Amino acid sequence: MRRIQVPRQGGEKSVSTAVPHRVPKAMRSRVPLVGSAVRIRRDPLGFVQQIRRYGDVATFKLGPRTAYVVNHPDLIRQMLVTDAEKFHKGVMFQKAQVLARNGLFTSEGEFHARQRRLIQPAVHASEIAGYTRTMGDHVQGLVTAWADGEVVRMDEVTFPLALGIVARVLFSTDLDPEAAAEVQETLPVLLRGLGQRALAPFDFLDRLPTPTNRAFERALPRFQAVVYRMIRQHRLDLGQHPDLLTSLLRAVDADTGAAMTDDQVYDEVTSMIIAGSETTAAAMSWAAYLLAAHPAAQRAVQDEVDDVLQGRPVRYEDLGRLQYTHRVVKETLRLYPTTWMLMRRPLVDVDLGGYRLPADAMVLFSIFALHRDPALFPDPEHFDPDRWLPARAETIPPHAYLPFGAGPRGCIGGPFSHTEASVFLATLAQRHTLVPVSDEPARIVTTLIPMPGPIPLAVRSRKEPPVSTSPEAVTR
């Protein structure tokens, strides 16, 4: 991949006129009117990898609109970091407002910055350290219930696990079974519907009585009812729970002194549930799948966990010593990042590597395609945790690895998700060995997130790992 000199930020004008702008190469559409919409719907991951070959910036037709795809890591970084104030999130996030409304997931400008400052302390490293035991307790309860030889659907068990953890962190309590079942049933339906709406060639398609749209309209009020019920219950005994929801309910506007309404709290809670359940569940499922498919890597995790933990539960301070486990999670997120595609909308004309992106254009970039670019990652389809060894990682171009995005709109929950996946693998590796029950590779289901299809794995109980006899370990 050729080098690009990214323009420095500064000045009022966003477009350089010193040299003619280059014209992005266009992917031709085979279907009149809808453009490449059919091709994206049929094979979205293949599409974003194919259009990468058209250059650093390429275009395609999505209905009547021209969509711009940014493929070069330096230019993606320019959009997300250097020139972040020149872009809004775009149509994908506008359509997500029907679910998350004006929460951190979808909001813009100063309001987004203020809400981010409010929530940031709750996902600081010092707080995540306290969450680690909660994560470990939930994972321990799951894996100890598995019998030797039992076949477990990882794609089914990790979602309620992640939801239980985020609920405990948010609400200081477990969701009641009815509420948990409602969220587990409705949230995947809502995210699948949003994924289809984001790339619909015409907005009116969102209102047609298709099976996906009907399912979405049924699921939305059910999901909202659960979240509002939890907020109302929390207000009744405000102060009894030192958790994130209490922080939101107590927060006041610095200018007006007004507290957040239930609607505003709903927006933020919904954003956190989305970020802390589906995305983290996907990461844990994919990590388990990859270790089962690579026995040597699984043994390396087990050996490391046995050596570091000596049979006791994992603590936050252990994670820095679980270096191979860390690399497994990092490589998992390279192959299966938290989203396959994101959008931006320029607020003004923007010069991006010599290409002119007009104001209000639809601009897309694919973290999935970026992470599998052979010009950035040798043998990109191969699972290789050791590519993240320090000496080898130095050869990876800057900005080529963005599992949680970057800049002021990067995913605030990235460290939380990475910690949870590490705790999951360490706790699982202490007790079990995972064995594939099929030679068929796991299928990727593309909603907003590259979710796994069925992942049935047999669990083989390990002999008991060495147990520490230190007083601290005994009391835990």
Side-chain angles (χ1 to χ4, degrees), residues 450-466:
M451 294 296 295
I455 300 182
L457 300 175
V459 292
R460 305 293 184 191
S461 297
R462 300 181 62 205
K463 62 180 178 63
E464 289 298 319

mmCIF file with all atom_site columns, all heavy atoms in Angstrom, residues 450-466:
data_model
loop_
_atom_site.group_PDB
_atom_site.id
_atom_site.type_symbol
_atom_site.label_atom_id
_atom_site.label_alt_id
_atom_site.label_comp_id
_atom_site.label_asym_id
_atom_site.label_entity_id
_atom_site.label_seq_id
_atom_site.pdbx_PDB_ins_code
_atom_site.Cartn_x
_atom_site.Cartn_y
_atom_site.Cartn_z
_atom_site.occupancy
_atom_site.B_iso_or_equiv
_atom_site.pdbx_formal_charge
_atom_site.auth_seq_id
_atom_site.auth_comp_id
_atom_site.auth_asym_id
_atom_site.auth_atom_id
_atom_site.pdbx_PDB_model_num
ATOM 1   N N   . PRO A 1 450 ? -20.110 -8.210  13.497 1.00 0.00 ? 450 PRO A N   1
ATOM 2   C CA  . PRO A 1 450 ? -19.858 -9.531  12.899 1.00 0.00 ? 450 PRO A CA  1
ATOM 3   C C   . PRO A 1 450 ? -20.115 -10.642 13.924 1.00 0.00 ? 450 PRO A C   1
ATOM 4   O O   . PRO A 1 450 ? -19.210 -11.119 14.600 1.00 0.00 ? 450 PRO A O   1
ATOM 5   C CB  . PRO A 1 450 ? -18.376 -9.474  12.492 1.00 0.00 ? 450 PRO A CB  1
ATOM 6   C CG  . PRO A 1 450 ? -17.963 -8.051  12.610 1.00 0.00 ? 450 PRO A CG  1
ATOM 7   C CD  . PRO A 1 450 ? -18.854 -7.440  13.640 1.00 0.00 ? 450 PRO A CD  1
ATOM 8   N N   . MET A 1 451 ? -21.370 -11.026 14.076 1.00 0.00 ? 451 MET A N   1
ATOM 9   C CA  . MET A 1 451 ? -21.751 -12.022 15.067 1.00 0.00 ? 451 MET A CA  1
ATOM 10  C C   . MET A 1 451 ? -21.474 -13.428 14.543 1.00 0.00 ? 451 MET A C   1
ATOM 11  O O   . MET A 1 451 ? -21.573 -13.685 13.336 1.00 0.00 ? 451 MET A O   1
ATOM 12  C CB  . MET A 1 451 ? -23.236 -11.894 15.407 1.00 0.00 ? 451 MET A CB  1
ATOM 13  C CG  . MET A 1 451 ? -23.596 -10.595 16.107 1.00 0.00 ? 451 MET A CG  1
ATOM 14  S SD  . MET A 1 451 ? -22.830 -10.423 17.731 1.00 0.00 ? 451 MET A SD  1
ATOM 15  C CE  . MET A 1 451 ? -23.630 -11.756 18.626 1.00 0.00 ? 451 MET A CE  1
ATOM 16  N N   . PRO A 1 452 ? -21.163 -14.358 15.429 1.00 0.00 ? 452 PRO A N   1
ATOM 17  C CA  . PRO A 1 452 ? -20.957 -15.730 14.981 1.00 0.00 ? 452 PRO A CA  1
ATOM 18  C C   . PRO A 1 452 ? -22.274 -16.449 14.771 1.00 0.00 ? 452 PRO A C   1
ATOM 19  O O   . PRO A 1 452 ? -23.259 -16.230 15.499 1.00 0.00 ? 452 PRO A O   1
ATOM 20  C CB  . PRO A 1 452 ? -20.172 -16.353 16.140 1.00 0.00 ? 452 PRO A CB  1
ATOM 21  C CG  . PRO A 1 452 ? -20.612 -15.580 17.341 1.00 0.00 ? 452 PRO A CG  1
ATOM 22  C CD  . PRO A 1 452 ? -20.872 -14.176 16.862 1.00 0.00 ? 452 PRO A CD  1
ATOM 23  N N   . GLY A 1 453 ? -22.295 -17.322 13.762 1.00 0.00 ? 453 GLY A N   1
ATOM 24  C CA  . GLY A 1 453 ? -23.387 -18.259 13.643 1.00 0.00 ? 453 GLY A CA  1
ATOM 25  C C   . GLY A 1 453 ? -23.202 -19.366 14.664 1.00 0.00 ? 453 GLY A C   1
ATOM 26  O O   . GLY A 1 453 ? -22.454 -19.202 15.643 1.00 0.00 ? 453 GLY A O   1
ATOM 27  N N   . PRO A 1 454 ? -23.827 -20.521 14.496 1.00 0.00 ? 454 PRO A N   1
ATOM 28  C CA  . PRO A 1 454 ? -23.695 -21.587 15.485 1.00 0.00 ? 454 PRO A CA  1
ATOM 29  C C   . PRO A 1 454 ? -22.233 -21.991 15.711 1.00 0.00 ? 454 PRO A C   1
ATOM 30  O O   . PRO A 1 454 ? -21.493 -22.250 14.767 1.00 0.00 ? 454 PRO A O   1
ATOM 31  C CB  . PRO A 1 454 ? -24.495 -22.735 14.866 1.00 0.00 ? 454 PRO A CB  1
ATOM 32  C CG  . PRO A 1 454 ? -25.489 -22.066 13.975 1.00 0.00 ? 454 PRO A CG  1
ATOM 33  C CD  . PRO A 1 454 ? -24.783 -20.868 13.417 1.00 0.00 ? 454 PRO A CD  1
ATOM 34  N N   . ILE A 1 455 ? -21.816 -22.024 16.979 1.00 0.00 ? 455 ILE A N   1
ATOM 35  C CA  . ILE A 1 455 ? -20.475 -22.478 17.359 1.00 0.00 ? 455 ILE A CA  1
ATOM 36  C C   . ILE A 1 455 ? -20.621 -23.564 18.421 1.00 0.00 ? 455 ILE A C   1
ATOM 37  O O   . ILE A 1 455 ? -20.522 -23.306 19.630 1.00 0.00 ? 455 ILE A O   1
ATOM 38  C CB  . ILE A 1 455 ? -19.597 -21.329 17.885 1.00 0.00 ? 455 ILE A CB  1
ATOM 39  C CG1 . ILE A 1 455 ? -19.413 -20.247 16.830 1.00 0.00 ? 455 ILE A CG1 1
ATOM 40  C CG2 . ILE A 1 455 ? -18.220 -21.847 18.317 1.00 0.00 ? 455 ILE A CG2 1
ATOM 41  C CD1 . ILE A 1 455 ? -18.527 -19.105 17.276 1.00 0.00 ? 455 ILE A CD1 1
ATOM 42  N N   . PRO A 1 456 ? -20.904 -24.809 18.005 1.00 0.00 ? 456 PRO A N   1
ATOM 43  C CA  . PRO A 1 456 ? -20.966 -25.896 18.989 1.00 0.00 ? 456 PRO A CA  1
ATOM 44  C C   . PRO A 1 456 ? -19.558 -26.410 19.296 1.00 0.00 ? 456 PRO A C   1
ATOM 45  O O   . PRO A 1 456 ? -18.812 -26.792 18.403 1.00 0.00 ? 456 PRO A O   1
ATOM 46  C CB  . PRO A 1 456 ? -21.804 -26.956 18.268 1.00 0.00 ? 456 PRO A CB  1
ATOM 47  C CG  . PRO A 1 456 ? -21.541 -26.717 16.809 1.00 0.00 ? 456 PRO A CG  1
ATOM 48  C CD  . PRO A 1 456 ? -21.260 -25.252 16.649 1.00 0.00 ? 456 PRO A CD  1
ATOM 49  N N   . LEU A 1 457 ? -19.188 -26.416 20.570 1.00 0.00 ? 457 LEU A N   1
ATOM 50  C CA  . LEU A 1 457 ? -17.887 -26.897 21.004 1.00 0.00 ? 457 LEU A CA  1
ATOM 51  C C   . LEU A 1 457 ? -18.068 -27.887 22.153 1.00 0.00 ? 457 LEU A C   1
ATOM 52  O O   . LEU A 1 457 ? -18.885 -27.655 23.053 1.00 0.00 ? 457 LEU A O   1
ATOM 53  C CB  . LEU A 1 457 ? -16.996 -25.746 21.476 1.00 0.00 ? 457 LEU A CB  1
ATOM 54  C CG  . LEU A 1 457 ? -16.670 -24.644 20.456 1.00 0.00 ? 457 LEU A CG  1
ATOM 55  C CD1 . LEU A 1 457 ? -15.890 -23.526 21.140 1.00 0.00 ? 457 LEU A CD1 1
ATOM 56  C CD2 . LEU A 1 457 ? -15.894 -25.207 19.278 1.00 0.00 ? 457 LEU A CD2 1
ATOM 57  N N   . ALA A 1 458 ? -17.323 -28.974 22.104 1.00 0.00 ? 458 ALA A N   1
ATOM 58  C CA  . ALA A 1 458 ? -17.311 -29.912 23.221 1.00 0.00 ? 458 ALA A CA  1
ATOM 59  C C   . ALA A 1 458 ? -16.351 -29.409 24.285 1.00 0.00 ? 458 ALA A C   1
ATOM 60  O O   . ALA A 1 458 ? -15.271 -28.901 23.967 1.00 0.00 ? 458 ALA A O   1
ATOM 61  C CB  . ALA A 1 458 ? -16.899 -31.300 22.747 1.00 0.00 ? 458 ALA A CB  1
ATOM 62  N N   . VAL A 1 459 ? -16.744 -29.520 25.545 1.00 0.00 ? 459 VAL A N   1
ATOM 63  C CA  . VAL A 1 459 ? -15.871 -29.106 26.641 1.00 0.00 ? 459 VAL A CA  1
ATOM 64  C C   . VAL A 1 459 ? -15.341 -30.355 27.344 1.00 0.00 ? 459 VAL A C   1
ATOM 65  O O   . VAL A 1 459 ? -16.107 -31.225 27.759 1.00 0.00 ? 459 VAL A O   1
ATOM 66  C CB  . VAL A 1 459 ? -16.599 -28.179 27.638 1.00 0.00 ? 459 VAL A CB  1
ATOM 67  C CG1 . VAL A 1 459 ? -16.920 -26.851 26.988 1.00 0.00 ? 459 VAL A CG1 1
ATOM 68  C CG2 . VAL A 1 459 ? -17.877 -28.799 28.159 1.00 0.00 ? 459 VAL A CG2 1
ATOM 69  N N   . ARG A 1 460 ? -14.038 -30.435 27.438 1.00 0.00 ? 460 ARG A N   1
ATOM 70  C CA  . ARG A 1 460 ? -13.371 -31.544 28.123 1.00 0.00 ? 460 ARG A CA  1
ATOM 71  C C   . ARG A 1 460 ? -12.777 -31.015 29.421 1.00 0.00 ? 460 ARG A C   1
ATOM 72  O O   . ARG A 1 460 ? -11.952 -30.107 29.405 1.00 0.00 ? 460 ARG A O   1
ATOM 73  C CB  . ARG A 1 460 ? -12.250 -32.128 27.246 1.00 0.00 ? 460 ARG A CB  1
ATOM 74  C CG  . ARG A 1 460 ? -12.716 -32.575 25.858 1.00 0.00 ? 460 ARG A CG  1
ATOM 75  C CD  . ARG A 1 460 ? -13.637 -33.753 25.925 1.00 0.00 ? 460 ARG A CD  1
ATOM 76  N NE  . ARG A 1 460 ? -13.990 -34.221 24.582 1.00 0.00 ? 460 ARG A NE  1
ATOM 77  C CZ  . ARG A 1 460 ? -14.945 -35.101 24.328 1.00 0.00 ? 460 ARG A CZ  1
ATOM 78  N NH1 . ARG A 1 460 ? -15.651 -35.604 25.332 1.00 0.00 ? 460 ARG A NH1 1
ATOM 79  N NH2 . ARG A 1 460 ? -15.210 -35.468 23.098 1.00 0.00 ? 460 ARG A NH2 1
ATOM 80  N N   . SER A 1 461 ? -13.200 -31.576 30.535 1.00 0.00 ? 461 SER A N   1
ATOM 81  C CA  . SER A 1 461 ? -12.708 -31.103 31.818 1.00 0.00 ? 461 SER A CA  1
ATOM 82  C C   . SER A 1 461 ? -11.233 -31.423 31.965 1.00 0.00 ? 461 SER A C   1
ATOM 83  O O   . SER A 1 461 ? -10.786 -32.533 31.665 1.00 0.00 ? 461 SER A O   1
ATOM 84  C CB  . SER A 1 461 ? -13.500 -31.743 32.963 1.00 0.00 ? 461 SER A CB  1
ATOM 85  O OG  . SER A 1 461 ? -14.854 -31.365 32.895 1.00 0.00 ? 461 SER A OG  1
ATOM 86  N N   . ARG A 1 462 ? -10.474 -30.457 32.427 1.00 0.00 ? 462 ARG A N   1
ATOM 87  C CA  . ARG A 1 462 ? -9.048  -30.649 32.659 1.00 0.00 ? 462 ARG A CA  1
ATOM 88  C C   . ARG A 1 462 ? -8.829  -31.236 34.044 1.00 0.00 ? 462 ARG A C   1
ATOM 89  O O   . ARG A 1 462 ? -9.678  -31.132 34.926 1.00 0.00 ? 462 ARG A O   1
ATOM 90  C CB  . ARG A 1 462 ? -8.309  -29.304 32.585 1.00 0.00 ? 462 ARG A CB  1
ATOM 91  C CG  . ARG A 1 462 ? -8.419  -28.589 31.256 1.00 0.00 ? 462 ARG A CG  1
ATOM 92  C CD  . ARG A 1 462 ? -7.611  -27.290 31.311 1.00 0.00 ? 462 ARG A CD  1
ATOM 93  N NE  . ARG A 1 462 ? -6.194  -27.565 31.547 1.00 0.00 ? 462 ARG A NE  1
ATOM 94  C CZ  . ARG A 1 462 ? -5.348  -26.710 32.099 1.00 0.00 ? 462 ARG A CZ  1
ATOM 95  N NH1 . ARG A 1 462 ? -5.777  -25.526 32.512 1.00 0.00 ? 462 ARG A NH1 1
ATOM 96  N NH2 . ARG A 1 462 ? -4.084  -27.031 32.270 1.00 0.00 ? 462 ARG A NH2 1
ATOM 97  N N   . LYS A 1 463 ? -7.653  -31.841 34.226 1.00 0.00 ? 463 LYS A N   1
ATOM 98  C CA  . LYS A 1 463 ? -7.276  -32.208 35.586 1.00 0.00 ? 463 LYS A CA  1
ATOM 99  C C   . LYS A 1 463 ? -7.120  -30.920 36.385 1.00 0.00 ? 463 LYS A C   1
ATOM 100 O O   . LYS A 1 463 ? -6.844  -29.861 35.841 1.00 0.00 ? 463 LYS A O   1
ATOM 101 C CB  . LYS A 1 463 ? -5.968  -32.994 35.586 1.00 0.00 ? 463 LYS A CB  1
ATOM 102 C CG  . LYS A 1 463 ? -4.747  -32.237 35.056 1.00 0.00 ? 463 LYS A CG  1
ATOM 103 C CD  . LYS A 1 463 ? -3.524  -33.114 35.096 1.00 0.00 ? 463 LYS A CD  1
ATOM 104 C CE  . LYS A 1 463 ? -2.310  -32.363 34.516 1.00 0.00 ? 463 LYS A CE  1
ATOM 105 N NZ  . LYS A 1 463 ? -1.946  -31.185 35.272 1.00 0.00 ? 463 LYS A NZ  1
ATOM 106 N N   . GLU A 1 464 ? -7.307  -30.995 37.674 1.00 0.00 ? 464 GLU A N   1
ATOM 107 C CA  . GLU A 1 464 ? -7.274  -29.790 38.479 1.00 0.00 ? 464 GLU A CA  1
ATOM 108 C C   . GLU A 1 464 ? -5.937  -29.087 38.349 1.00 0.00 ? 464 GLU A C   1
ATOM 109 O O   . GLU A 1 464 ? -4.885  -29.703 38.529 1.00 0.00 ? 464 GLU A O   1
ATOM 110 C CB  . GLU A 1 464 ? -7.520  -30.140 39.961 1.00 0.00 ? 464 GLU A CB  1
ATOM 111 C CG  . GLU A 1 464 ? -8.957  -30.554 40.251 1.00 0.00 ? 464 GLU A CG  1
ATOM 112 C CD  . GLU A 1 464 ? -9.939  -29.436 39.959 1.00 0.00 ? 464 GLU A CD  1
ATOM 113 O OE1 . GLU A 1 464 ? -9.634  -28.276 40.291 1.00 0.00 ? 464 GLU A OE1 1
ATOM 114 O OE2 . GLU A 1 464 ? -10.999 -29.723 39.388 1.00 0.00 ? 464 GLU A OE2 1
ATOM 115 N N   . PRO A 1 465 ? -5.928  -27.790 38.014 1.00 0.00 ? 465 PRO A N   1
ATOM 116 C CA  . PRO A 1 465 ? -4.666  -27.047 37.940 1.00 0.00 ? 465 PRO A CA  1
ATOM 117 C C   . PRO A 1 465 ? -4.083  -26.863 39.324 1.00 0.00 ? 465 PRO A C   1
ATOM 118 O O   . PRO A 1 465 ? -4.777  -27.060 40.336 1.00 0.00 ? 465 PRO A O   1
ATOM 119 C CB  . PRO A 1 465 ? -5.091  -25.702 37.342 1.00 0.00 ? 465 PRO A CB  1
ATOM 120 C CG  . PRO A 1 465 ? -6.520  -25.560 37.716 1.00 0.00 ? 465 PRO A CG  1
ATOM 121 C CD  . PRO A 1 465 ? -7.090  -26.949 37.718 1.00 0.00 ? 465 PRO A CD  1
ATOM 122 N N   . PRO A 1 466 ? -2.802  -26.516 39.432 1.00 0.00 ? 466 PRO A N   1
ATOM 123 C CA  . PRO A 1 466 ? -2.202  -26.305 40.739 1.00 0.00 ? 466 PRO A CA  1
ATOM 124 C C   . PRO A 1 466 ? -2.946  -25.226 41.509 1.00 0.00 ? 466 PRO A C   1
ATOM 125 O O   . PRO A 1 466 ? -3.355  -24.213 40.951 1.00 0.00 ? 466 PRO A O   1
ATOM 126 C CB  . PRO A 1 466 ? -0.769  -25.870 40.407 1.00 0.00 ? 466 PRO A CB  1
ATOM 127 C CG  . PRO A 1 466 ? -0.821  -25.410 38.986 1.00 0.00 ? 466 PRO A CG  1
ATOM 128 C CD  . PRO A 1 466 ? -1.871  -26.246 38.334 1.00 0.00 ? 466 PRO A CD  1
#
